[in-house]
Amino acid sequence: MTHTIPQENIDVFGPDSILRRLVGEARWGLAVARATVLEAAHPQIGAALMENSTFLTNPWRRLRNTATSSRRLLDPDPRVRDREAARLNRLHSRMSGVDAQGRPYDATDPAARAWVAATLFESTVTMCRLSGDALDADAMRRLYAEHRTFLTLIDGTSDHLPATLHEFWPYYDDIVEHRLENNEAVGAILYRLFANVPAPPVLRPYPVVWAAGRAMAGPLATAITIASLPEAFSRRVALPDLPGARTLMQAAYLSTALATRHLPESWTRVEFFMGLLDPSHHKGAGPWETVRRRAGKAAALARLLTPATGGEDDQVTRSADRFFAEVLDQTGDGYLRWPDLAAMAREIATRLDLGEQEEDRLFQAYAAWWRELQSALDSDGDGRVTRAEYAASAARLPSTGLVKIADVLFDVTDVDDDEKIDSEEYLNLFRTAFHRDLAGNDDSYSRGAFVRQFVSFMSGQQHSNAYISLLSSG
């Protein structure tokens, strides 16, 4: 089937935008996953991913944030678009350095940003073609113009992307054949992305069942992604060509198209599938929240019935050790470094859609805490703290920086400035309802109570599912 788009001029971000429509469909995830592989193969982008991102430990977080950011950039309200573009530029301005081969990289590099837009465009075209919804020439030109506008919004210009669709294809082929490389980031996406699909809430109490299903489905998803990549790229980086993979890939794309046409629209939206994998994506109570709460109560009961072993200091050390693994080690390298805390700050800023002033306060607070940690624990000055060092000293560490972080979180959450976080504000921060017994009849957090719980959690002394959801790498 071929789509024909009306000839009249339409606002590129208006209701008739091709890109805006596709971004809301769950099947666009196929295009995003494919594009992410091609992005990561670019030396600049691959280095930025490996040095500054949490992609290795939680690739699904980046895909989720990419979907969220894309929807904001395509919002009908230009203020929302401009705010998100400014946030992305601030985020990328903090990502620069030198890769393992001594080559400089910069996430604001305009040529690299143009390649991101190029891969999204080409992968979207490929998704439509493989799904049996091939775009006609006019629709393809429209879609390309939308991607150039998309790039202009972020970068201020689209000069590094060819001006016409006719010029685009030679540019794209040249980069695929001569610029891309098989780096660590490509391997992480292809072989870790689908191996780390988070379990839907209903299966979280059954990790063995989920692991078995994922062990079978993960390699299939990887094979489908590889089979959809440009042949020149696959040859260049020596990706395997598995028998039957192309047939499987075509069936997968056609199936998603049929689902989009025939299933209820609410079932084929990206929000539906993100809600299955990440219940915190949906605000408010729902079936997944009910399941999560019941599981949490059962776990709490089990802890009460299990005899305690060791002294209080041993319990604090075990709690801090668990906290290090679940929350602090965002990059998964076994150490606590500044990129770990910066990743945590980025995740909070993205989720809460912070403005420049609030975001700067948050990063400065995390930087202050990092200086405290370095002073207390980094005795050899190598810029990192081990898991054992942190666990052994967590309860005695300085907390001035943590108080600063808590104050920022409280201020950005307390939108009505009444010095309390009510249930609605709490929901906006954590995407879950209150799940603790509040003192008295006042259904709210005071600043003091909020800061105390945050500091207790961040020092590894008190477990909190809400903060795990907000801050963890998983």
Side-chain angles (χ1 to χ4, degrees):
M1 182 172 65
T2 300
H3 291 303
T4 302
I5 305 300
Q7 296 293 322
E8 63 266 21
N9 292 325
I10 302 172
D11 177 11
V12 71
F13 295 121
D16 294 307
S17 163
I18 304 173
L19 182 57
R20 187 177 170 201
R21 170 176 59 82
L22 291 173
V23 163
E25 296 180 0
R27 65 171 178 154
W28 197 60
L30 291 169
V32 173
R34 180 182 183 277
T36 302
V37 176
L38 296 169
E39 290 171 22
H42 189 286
Q44 290 257 0
I45 301 171
L49 280 174
M50 298 308 299
E51 295 296 324
N52 296 277
S53 174
T54 59
F55 202 94
L56 275 178
T57 51
N58 189 15
W60 289 95
R61 173 196 282 181
R62 186 175 186 271
L63 291 184
R64 181 196 69 203
N65 288 345
T66 296
T68 299
S69 183
S70 297
R71 288 197 300 275
R72 289 175 182 168
L73 289 169
L74 294 168
D75 195 277
D77 188 341
R79 293 171 298 181
V80 174
R81 303 199 297 255
D82 292 342
R83 180 184 179 91
E84 179 62 15
R87 188 193 67 79
L88 283 176
N89 282 322
R90 292 194 303 271
L91 184 153
H92 290 155
S93 69
R94 298 184 175 99
M95 296 183 180
S96 61
V98 178
D99 68 12
Q101 300 180 42
R103 300 174 299 186
Y105 68 87
D106 186 340
T108 62
D109 177 69
R113 285 181 157 189
W115 179 242
V116 171
T119 61
L120 284 173
F121 167 71
E122 191 273 341
S123 291
T124 302
V125 170
T126 298
M127 179 200 74
C128 292
R129 175 174 56 82
L130 294 174
S131 300
D133 294 330
L135 301 171
D136 65 17
D138 181 62
M140 200 176 299
R141 283 193 296 269
R142 278 273 315 285
L143 184 62
Y144 185 63
E146 291 179 13
H147 278 82
R148 295 191 82 241
T149 303
F150 188 85
L151 176 61
T152 301
L153 179 61
I154 301 172
D155 207 37
T157 179
S158 58
D159 289 349
H160 285 79
L161 203 58
T164 67
L165 183 61
H166 178 73
E167 296 170 298
F168 170 80
W169 298 113
Y171 151 85
Y172 180 86
D173 292 340
D174 180 67
I175 291 183
V176 167
E177 293 181 16
H178 301 108
R179 186 84 168 104
L180 302 188
E181 61 186 21
N182 190 1
N183 53 35
E184 189 177 358
V186 170
I189 295 166
L190 286 176
Y191 301 109
R192 297 194 191 190
L193 175 62
F194 301 110
N196 289 296
V197 179
V202 71
L203 289 179
R204 287 178 188 171
Y206 311 101
V208 175
V209 175
W210 178 248
R214 189 169 57 185
M216 292 186 292
L220 293 178
T222 298
I224 288 170
T225 302
I226 291 176
S228 71
L229 293 170
E231 186 176 346
F233 172 73
S234 296
R235 286 198 310 269
R236 178 174 173 79
V237 301
L239 293 177
D241 185 11
L242 300 177
R246 294 196 64 81
T247 300
L248 182 65
M249 176 267 295
Q250 291 167 346
Y253 275 84
L254 288 172
S255 296
T256 60
L258 290 173
T260 301
R261 293 190 200 116
H262 300 296
L263 290 178
E265 183 178 358
S266 61
W267 293 10
T268 62
R269 305 295 294 174
V270 67
E271 292 86 356
F272 176 79
F273 284 90
M274 291 178 74
L276 289 179
L277 296 175
D278 178 12
S280 70
H281 182 71
H282 285 307
K283 294 183 178 181
W288 301 129
E289 177 67 11
T290 301
V291 171
R292 190 204 60 73
R293 286 193 183 187
R294 289 176 178 173
K297 290 180 179 179
L301 179 61
R303 287 194 296 271
L304 287 174
L305 296 176
T306 302
T309 58
E312 182 178 346
D313 289 343
D314 289 339
Q315 294 178 25
V316 171
T317 299
R318 286 197 300 272
S319 177
D321 184 78
R322 175 186 180 186
F323 171 75
F324 188 101
E326 291 184 349
V327 178
L328 288 183
D329 188 13
Q330 297 270 316
T331 55
D333 62 357
Y335 297 95
L336 174 60
R337 302 179 297 125
W338 168 243
D340 296 298
L341 301 191
M344 203 180 301
R346 285 198 303 271
E347 176 65 13
I348 295 172
T350 299
R351 174 176 291 199
L352 298 182
D353 191 19
L354 298 185
E356 182 175 6
Q357 184 176 357
E358 295 90 348
E359 185 179 293
D360 284 344
R361 280 188 64 204
L362 182 65
F363 270 89
Q364 288 170 12
Y366 267 102
W369 187 43
W370 174 236
R371 288 193 294 270
E372 290 180 357
L373 292 173
Q374 281 187 297
S375 177
L377 299 177
D378 186 17
S379 57
D380 59 3
D382 65 352
R384 61 187 188 178
V385 173
T386 69
R387 181 171 176 170
E389 287 171 339
Y390 183 86
S393 307
R396 299 184 295 275
L397 291 174
S399 59
T400 304
L402 288 178
V403 172
K404 290 180 179 179
I405 298 171
D407 275 332
V408 175
L409 281 179
F410 187 92
D411 289 340
V412 299
T413 305
D414 179 25
V415 294
D416 57 8
D417 295 323
D418 65 350
E419 286 297 306
K420 297 178 183 177
I421 293 179
D422 59 32
S423 58
E424 183 176 348
E425 291 168 335
Y426 183 97
L427 189 66
N428 184 57
L429 175 63
F430 293 114
R431 294 179 180 161
T432 63
F434 278 128
H435 28 263
R436 74 177 183 96
D437 293 327
L438 298 170
N441 297 320
D442 186 15
D443 192 30
S444 64
Y445 267 115
S446 67
R447 181 183 292 271
F450 183 88
V451 170
R452 282 193 299 273
Q453 186 183 43
F454 181 82
V455 171
S456 180
F457 172 77
M458 292 295 286
S459 60
Q461 300 177 61
Q462 176 183 347
H463 187 73
S464 166
N465 286 326
Y467 279 112
I468 287 286
S469 174
L470 176 66
L471 302 171
S472 73
S473 63

